[in-house]
Every structure is written in C-alpha cells, then in structure tokens.
Amino acid sequence: MAARFPVMIVSLARSGRRERIAEVMSRYGVDFSFIDAIDARRFESDELARLYDDSAARSRYRRALTRGEVACFLSHRLLWQRVVSGGRSVIVLEDDALLDHAFFAKVLTWPEGPLARIADVVLLGRSKLSRSSAARAYLYEPLKRAKRIDGMRIGTPFKQWTSGSVGYWISPRGAMLALAHTEGPVRALLDDWPWHRDDGAMIIKELRPYVVWEAFESLASDLEGERIRLAPTRARWRDCLLEPLRTVRLIARWTVAAVIRLVESAGGSGKRHGGAQ
C-alpha cells in the first residue's frame, strides 16, 4: 500500500490506548505518529482562565466547556501547527478509533490534489455512532453535491453539527484557516464544525460510508462524564413530538439532493455537447 497521507494520533500519554492502535497501524505499514494530548488534570485555575473564554462558550452552548474539552481543542491546535509547518495533508485520529479496511485500502491512498480542491477538512467518521446505526444515519443525513473519489462519496451534509473528531483528513490550507480563526483563548468546541465553517471560512465535507468509528461502547471517554453533567437536559417527550417533523425533513432533503444531482448532470451534459460541436 502506497499511502499518501501520514496519520497523526492524538492521545493522552496516560490513556493506555496506544498499544492497540499502534499495532493496527504497524500491521498495515502505515506512517503514523502520536501527538501527546494536553492533560486537563494539570490545569491550574488561573491557567484555565487564561486559555479559555467562558463567556463565549456559554453564549454559544448555554453551558461551560469542561476542562477536557478545552484541553482537547488545544491538543488539536498543536497538531494543526505541525500540519502547516510540514506542508502535507494528514489524517488525524483519536486513540479510541476503530478502522474499517477501506480506511487502509482507499482513504490512505486518495489523490491529494483533487481532494484539496474540494475540501479543507473531510470527516471520516462520527462520534457515538455504532456501525449498526450507520445506515439510519446515512438515510437521515444525505450528502449534497457529492463527489466520488475511488468509489467513495465526499459531500456536504444538510446539517453539520458537533459530530466528533474521531477521524478527519485536513489539508495545510485547512490547518492554516483553523489556526487563524481559533487564535487566542478557546471559545468553542473542537468538533463544532458549523463554527469552523462559518467563522473560519473552512470547507468541511463528510465521507460516505464512514471508515472510522469511535470505540465508545468498549472504552470509557475522558470527556463524556463531565460533559454529560454540564450539558442541558432535553425532555424525552420533545423527541417524540419531533419525530413526524424529522420524517418530513428526511423526504425534503432527499428530494433536494436528487434535484441538485439532476441539475448538475444536465449542466455536465450540456458542456459535453457544447464541446463536441
């Protein structure tokens, strides 16, 4: 396998997870390295106040960010600096990532040029999504204007949200944009992809099917306990009431996606006919 992209794995030195993912990478002969994540336990209160904008976070999410979420953001920012200085696109994984065979057989060998022309970041998976639930996720979140690379689809979902950072591809341009718009104290979640898109002018796409999965069912998260405690609760009855609206939204999204494909196909056909005259 002639991989085009190195893999950077964000990992706490104390996590105890490195051996598993290193064995997988070595088995496939992947060029990889670990990025030591910043340990939130080492934050002093005055240091946290300097590194984190609590007012901005509360304004956006109606809650404070956890120490772990701040440390996670800072860890990925260190990684983006390496991407910019190295001048190469990389694939970023977290150390609890589970990888499909297509990750090694296809994604690692994507042609960099065409990919960099359509995206700054491509999300390769989604946190808290099991493989058994993937088909439903694809159904409810179709892609718009999807391009095919090596038989896989890369496009824009109808809704981008805080869907995790378990695995993503990022270009040097994407890393440069990310660093520029996140300079200063942390004021948002790392995986707030709409924020990166709107505030950072980053082009963020998603892959279908996903090839990276989070081992949330078997490995405890350092972030999840504190995050659940701080997050506002949502009543169960509200989800039940919203279900009919989700069905309507589902039909509308697939209709829009189909219309876009038809328009693009007609445009492409017109260009080919025009060129033949």
Side-chain angles (χ1 to χ4, degrees), residues 68-99:
E69 288 168 337
V70 174
C72 177
F73 203 123
L74 294 171
S75 300
H76 282 256
R77 205 150 67 182
L78 289 174
L79 185 150
W80 298 335
Q81 291 170 356
R82 293 198 185 190
V83 174
V84 172
S85 61
R88 289 183 68 187
S89 298
V90 306
I91 289 175
V92 180
L93 298 176
E94 295 184 339
D95 62 6
D96 58 350
L98 301 174
L99 307 167

Side-chain angles (χ1 to χ4, degrees), residues 158-171:
F158 278 80
K159 180 181 179 182
Q160 287 181 322
W161 72 98
T162 51
S163 51
S165 54
V166 66
Y168 61 92
W169 171 91
I170 186 168
S171 68

Side-chain angles (χ1 to χ4, degrees), residues 20-260:
R20 178 196 63 84
I21 197 165
E23 191 277 327
V24 174
M25 293 290 137
S26 299
R27 189 193 319 155
Y28 282 91
V30 176
D31 174 17
F32 76 98
S33 59
F34 286 107
I35 304 297
D36 287 334
I38 294 171
D39 194 337
R41 294 181 182 182
R42 298 183 179 178
F43 283 150
E44 299 291 342
S45 295
D46 57 343
E47 182 183 20
L48 184 63
R50 177 175 56 84
L51 296 172
Y52 163 56
D53 186 339
D54 185 64
S55 173
R58 288 179 183 274
S59 174
R60 186 166 180 85
Y61 307 115
R62 295 187 297 118
R63 71 169 177 88
L65 299 190
T66 69
R67 285 173 173 250
E69 288 168 337
V70 174
C72 177
F73 203 123
L74 294 171
S75 300
H76 282 256
R77 205 150 67 182
L78 289 174
L79 185 150
W80 298 335
Q81 291 170 356
R82 293 198 185 190
V83 174
V84 172
S85 61
R88 289 183 68 187
S89 298
V90 306
I91 289 175
V92 180
L93 298 176
E94 295 184 339
D95 62 6
D96 58 350
L98 301 174
L99 307 167
D100 283 351
H101 178 71
F103 173 83
F104 301 99
K106 293 187 176 182
V107 174
L108 284 180
T109 60
W110 276 344
E112 183 168 12
L115 189 59
R117 285 193 286 273
I118 64 173
D120 299 313
V121 170
V122 177
L123 306 180
L124 307 177
R126 185 192 302 179
S127 294
K128 305 299 179 288
L129 177 70
S130 64
R131 288 185 175 95
S132 61
S133 302
R136 179 178 172 84
Y138 302 153
L139 175 66
Y140 276 85
E141 295 296 338
L143 297 178
K144 296 179 289 185
R145 298 181 174 86
K147 305 291 184 183
R148 288 191 177 271
I149 295 182
D150 199 13
M152 309 191 84
R153 298 172 66 242
I154 299 170
T156 306
F158 278 80
K159 180 181 179 182
Q160 287 181 322
W161 72 98
T162 51
S163 51
S165 54
V166 66
Y168 61 92
W169 171 91
I170 186 168
S171 68
R173 178 184 183 273
M176 191 179 305
L177 289 171
L179 287 172
H181 94 96
T182 64
E183 186 178 3
V186 172
R187 55 192 183 276
L189 294 164
L190 166 73
D191 63 342
D192 189 340
W193 302 113
W195 179 68
H196 289 292
R197 178 197 64 210
D198 298 338
D199 283 35
M202 298 173 66
I203 302 172
I204 299 167
K205 306 283 188 179
E206 285 194 15
L207 177 67
R208 293 289 190 279
Y210 294 135
V211 295
V212 181
W213 310 87
E214 182 186 14
F216 68 97
E217 295 167 312
S218 58
L219 295 176
S221 169
D222 287 301
L223 299 179
E224 198 59 25
E226 193 178 2
R227 178 188 288 143
I228 290 173
R229 182 175 62 81
L230 291 175
T233 57
R234 190 166 72 177
R236 206 173 204 179
W237 60 264
R238 186 170 177 269
D239 285 335
C240 295
L241 289 177
L242 288 175
E243 195 59 36
L245 294 178
R246 292 192 181 103
T247 302
V248 173
R249 183 181 64 189
L250 167 68
I251 296 170
R253 285 179 175 178
W254 279 100
T255 301
V256 171
V259 169
I260 290 173

